[in-house]
Amino acid sequence: SEPKKVEAYHSGYSLELLREHFRSIRDLWKGALRSGSSVPSFRDYLLTVVNGPRLVQDTDAQLARVDAAFEKLASEPLSRQIVSNPQSLVELHTELQKLTRFFKSEMSSLLGISITYSSGDGD
C-alpha cells in the first residue's frame, strides 16, 4: 500500500473528492442537476429499450452496493485508511469496478455506442 499516492494527499480531501466523484456519476445516471431539477437521463432512456429495464434494475442495485461500501469507510482521509482500514477500501474498489461494467459495457451496448481505443500521432 502506498498512502502518498492517493489523490489530494496533502490537502487531506481524498475521501471527499472520491465521494463527490461518485455523486456526480450517480446524478448523471439519474439526470439530477445541482439546482434540484432534473433532465432526461441514461436511466430514463434505458427504460424504453429492449433489455433496458433489467440493466436499470442491475445498475440501481450496484449503485446501492457502492453506497453501502462507502458507509463502511471512516471519515479520515484515504491515505490513513489505506493503513487502518484497507479491507473496506478494497471492497469499495471492487464495487466501483462492478459498476464500471454496467456503464462501459452493458449500457453502451444497449444504446448502440461503440467505444474504441485507438491512438495516433499527437495523442
Side-chain angles (χ1 to χ4, degrees):
S1 67
E2 299 184 53
K4 289 186 176 186
K5 290 195 174 185
V6 300
E7 188 170 352
Y9 171 75
H10 293 288
S11 71
Y13 291 120
S14 52
L15 181 58
E16 290 86 350
L17 291 172
L18 181 59
R19 285 184 196 274
E20 186 58 34
H21 180 78
F22 176 66
R23 266 188 235 114
S24 296
I25 290 170
R26 187 178 50 222
D27 289 349
L28 178 65
W29 167 250
K30 292 181 177 183
L33 301 177
R34 289 193 182 267
S35 65
S37 59
S38 63
V39 296
S41 67
F42 288 112
R43 186 182 190 285
D44 295 335
Y45 182 71
L46 284 168
L47 289 171
T48 69
V49 301
V50 175
N51 295 322
R54 177 205 48 83
L55 179 58
V56 167
Q57 182 179 17
D58 292 347
T59 303
D60 285 343
Q62 188 58 39
L63 286 164
R65 286 190 283 279
V66 172
D67 277 328
F70 266 113
E71 292 300 318
K72 293 179 182 179
L73 298 179
S75 60
E76 63 188 6
L78 292 178
S79 58
R80 290 192 196 129
Q81 292 192 62
I82 286 173
V83 176
S84 67
N85 192 13
Q87 188 54 42
S88 291
L89 288 175
V90 168
E91 182 180 336
L92 175 62
H93 179 265
T94 300
E95 297 305 334
L96 286 167
Q97 288 298 105
K98 290 177 185 177
L99 181 63
T100 300
R101 180 194 83 198
F102 292 119
F103 291 141
K104 282 190 170 182
S105 178
E106 294 191 34
M107 183 172 73
S108 62
S109 176
L110 283 180
L111 297 179
I113 297 170
S114 175
I115 300 173
T116 59
Y117 300 95
S118 63
S119 180
D121 290 344
D123 287 352

